[in-house]
Amino acid sequence: MRRVIIILLCCLLAGGCSALPAEERSFAVALGLSVREGVWEAAARIPSYQQSGGYLTLQARGGSLEEAMAGLDASAPMRMHYGQLRLLIFSGELARSGSFVSAVEAVADRAETRLQAQLCVTEDPMKGVMDALEPQTGARLSKSLDVMLETRREMGVIPDASLSGILRMGQRQDPVLIRISLEDEKTLRLTGGEMISGAAGAQGSLSAEEMQLLSLMQGKVRRTMITLEDGTVTIHDAGCRLSLDGNRACVRLKVRCSGSSLTAEGAADALQREVRGVIGRLAEAGCDALGLGRFAIRHFRDAAAWRELDWRHVYPALEWEILVDVQTAAQA
Amino acid sequence: MRTTVFTAQERRQRREAGDRLARMCQIRLISTVSMLTALFTRVIPLCGSAGWWMGAVCMLPGLATYGLLCAAIRSCGAKTLQEAVLKKCGRAGETLVRLLLGVLFLLEGAGSLTALVTAFTEGIGTEGTQFTMALLTLGAAVLCLHRDALARGIWLMRRGMLLAALVIAALLAGMLRPDGLHPVLGPGGSALQAAWKAGCTLAWPLILLLTAEPAKGGRLRAATVPVFFSLGTGAALCLIYPCEMLIRETGLAGTLLLPARHLPAAAATAAHCLGMLGAFLSIASCLQLGAQQLEMRRRLNWLPFALAGLLALLQLIPARRLWLALTGIMQYAPVLLSVWALILVIRRKKCAE
């Protein structure tokens, strides 16, 4: 009986797996897509697999996304694999075009794509952005990017824009992507967010501070330091509750903070003003980043009725009530 | 430490009780794998976010048949379905029921094999073809076809498999969203009708629990694990993925791999391994139990191997066509079992002592 179990486990573990070893694949750490005047360009950052280490950028062009990706596969030294993808970067032009959603779906539909890859938007030349992707910490670019993204997400200055999370939003929420820019030839800056409004694509950007406030409202960040117009506030704990009643949305933000220059009332006023500003920006862009669509859909019996509502038109017209409760460290 | 000494008769009774437990565990695994496969590939892709309650509705006919058959078996003092049919309908009836059960076990095994092979060749992506993957799977399965060891092995592994499922569930917990259960009717009226038509025999595998003697806890307890596990997993799927994403996946490989697709790589691999193990053990069990039914009380040692060969040959048919044929047959074949249930309940022939 024991022999049967052991044989069974050996067969299951040893049989049916792909035989292609890792050193015979080009694992793309970052993939960049852009389109200009109908010409698609795909760029990938892969390890050079040389003894000296280092990374190289592959580029390919085509009349369609599939052609460009095929060109990338053809120009790679080994079979391309996207199972280690960390960044999926779109050019600003592509992000604002009608092809953005189909491009995201096309990449996601590839069976080996790592769905935890983060989506970014850049206005800088894709080649320059790719070439600037070098490991800052440790020996591997993938690890370096993981650490950098995690640190910035904890601060709240960039959103959690994983491909998996964005796909699972469906039609109930809109994503905010990471803004990536070149500071100089060798330094990249990941800060702020790019608001996406469904099929319309990118509709504007959020600064790092606005992104922090959005992260607080989404519940992604509970501790951070925010620079407001009136002063700096160090938040030790935060919680946010959203609700939707007909055409009236309510944001209840509860914050425990310490600020050298602001009283509790001052901090609450400043936060309320800034939060209202962020919500106004989101409404103007038609970007339901807070996911109020998830509350609205509960009132509909079937998908056809939900589509009839046309949430894209209802969302920007919502009335907002923002309640901020600030407790300073002294009061606590 | 106190040592209990059992008599020979007590030892035999304890071994028989253990074997009944193991056999029940084996059939529960077949039922769970079958119901989960049907839920993921037939019901949820049609009704989307309505899958969490539609699954329960689709189980009602199977549960009713199971209840009727339990009552019929108890009423004539039999221990298994075959015994009850023998007492009420005679030898001819028992032969027919055994034949039907044997064929249903085989169809179930063929379905699990097609699903497993397709998930690997089209979904995960392997170097093998449909036929070679089937040969590999069945080759390993025949090595496990020990009369008692397979059931005991499954019984031994049950807690490990359940623990792995709980760990994967814990990893998925962070992805749950309550709005995933909405809209309550999913895509709407005609989609629900199609889901009902495709899934109304969802719970038929519970009837297989009646082919073995009941273990400690009775028949009701035996049916609860497959039912609640399947419904719980279906509900979790609806909570993780929005309706528009669930109805987008229509291919066999896509629907089978969707539950683990968005997990981090290590967790996804663990989920694939668990699914693979469950499907594999289900295939081996279907071969063994199907052969036992078709043997008709004789000992035909070559029969399981012949049936394995038959299942392998079936994989020469293109996967999509084979899957359509199998699901078409499985939608209606269990109706025959329901008819037997009615005959057993209605028939007033006195049971032989």
Side-chain angles (χ1 to χ4, degrees), chain B residues 134-173:
Chain B
L135 281 180
L136 180 70
T137 308
L138 290 166
V142 298
L143 287 174
C144 306
L145 289 181
H146 187 282
R147 195 191 61 188
D148 298 321
L150 180 58
R152 288 178 191 171
I154 292 171
W155 188 79
L156 275 176
M157 282 192 279
R158 75 196 189 289
R159 289 215 171 120
M161 290 172 72
L162 199 59
L163 186 64
L166 287 172
V167 167
I168 293 164
L171 287 169
L172 286 171

Side-chain angles (χ1 to χ4, degrees), chain A residues 43-173:
Chain A
R45 190 74 170 156
I46 62 169
S48 65
Y49 294 109
Q50 302 291 325
Q51 221 168 1
S52 52
Y55 292 80
L56 58 103
T57 303
L58 300 176
Q59 277 185 297
R61 285 199 173 95
S64 65
L65 174 60
E66 290 72 27
E67 255 186 64
M69 295 293 287
L72 209 58
D73 290 341
S75 63
M78 293 168 287
R79 200 183 298 186
M80 285 294 292
H81 198 280
Y82 298 97
Q84 295 295 327
L85 202 63
R86 294 306 194 271
L87 296 180
L88 179 55
I89 308 171
F90 295 92
S91 67
E93 203 172 321
L94 174 55
R96 287 184 287 273
S97 75
S99 310
F100 173 66
V101 172
S102 56
V104 172
E105 285 174 354
V107 175
D109 282 344
R110 295 177 77 111
E112 78 275 15
T113 301
R114 184 172 174 271
L115 294 179
Q116 285 72 36
Q118 298 286 313
L119 272 67
C120 310
V121 174
T122 184
E123 300 294 343
D124 294 309
M126 194 60 74
K127 179 81 169 51
V129 171
M130 285 291 171
D131 287 340
L133 280 171
E134 288 287 341
Q136 305 292 323
T137 55
R140 285 185 293 128
L141 178 58
S142 55
K143 182 68 183 171
S144 171
L145 286 173
D146 285 341
V147 169
M148 184 165 44
L149 289 166
E150 184 64 32
T151 311
R152 278 160 176 69
R153 264 201 304 272
E154 278 173 13
M155 289 161 57
V157 295
I158 62 170
D160 181 5
S162 68
L163 187 49
S164 167
I166 287 167
L167 291 171
R168 285 183 294 110
M169 284 178 184
Q171 292 155 7
R172 299 142 194 247
Q173 191 173 352

Side-chain angles (χ1 to χ4, degrees), chain A residues 1 4-5 7-9 11-13 15-20 79 105 108-111 113 115-116 163-165 167-173 220 294 297-298 300-304 306, chain B residues 120 123 125-127 133 136 140 143-144 146 149 152-153 156-157 175 177-180 182-188 240-245 248 261-265 276-277 280-281:
Chain A
M1 185 170 61
V4 167
I5 293 172
I7 292 171
L8 172 68
L9 287 171
C11 288
L12 285 172
L13 290 170
C17 304
S18 178
L20 198 64
R79 200 183 298 186
E105 285 174 354
D109 282 344
R110 295 177 77 111
T113 301
L115 294 179
Q116 285 72 36
L163 187 49
S164 167
L167 291 171
R168 285 183 294 110
M169 284 178 184
Q171 292 155 7
R172 299 142 194 247
Q173 191 173 352
K220 303 277 186 187
R294 296 181 183 276
I297 201 169
R298 295 174 195 186
F300 296 89
R301 283 191 337 163
D302 59 45
W306 164 244
Chain B
F120 268 88
T126 59
E127 299 292 317
M133 287 294 299
L136 180 70
L143 287 174
C144 306
H146 187 282
R152 288 178 191 171
L156 275 176
M157 282 192 279
M175 296 161 70
R177 294 280 201 154
D179 63 282
H182 299 272
V184 174
L185 298 183
I240 291 166
Y241 299 103
C243 181
E244 45 271 30
M245 213 169 157
R248 198 175 153 230
R261 176 103 169 88
H262 289 245
L263 282 175
M276 194 170 66
L277 184 64
F280 176 80
L281 291 172

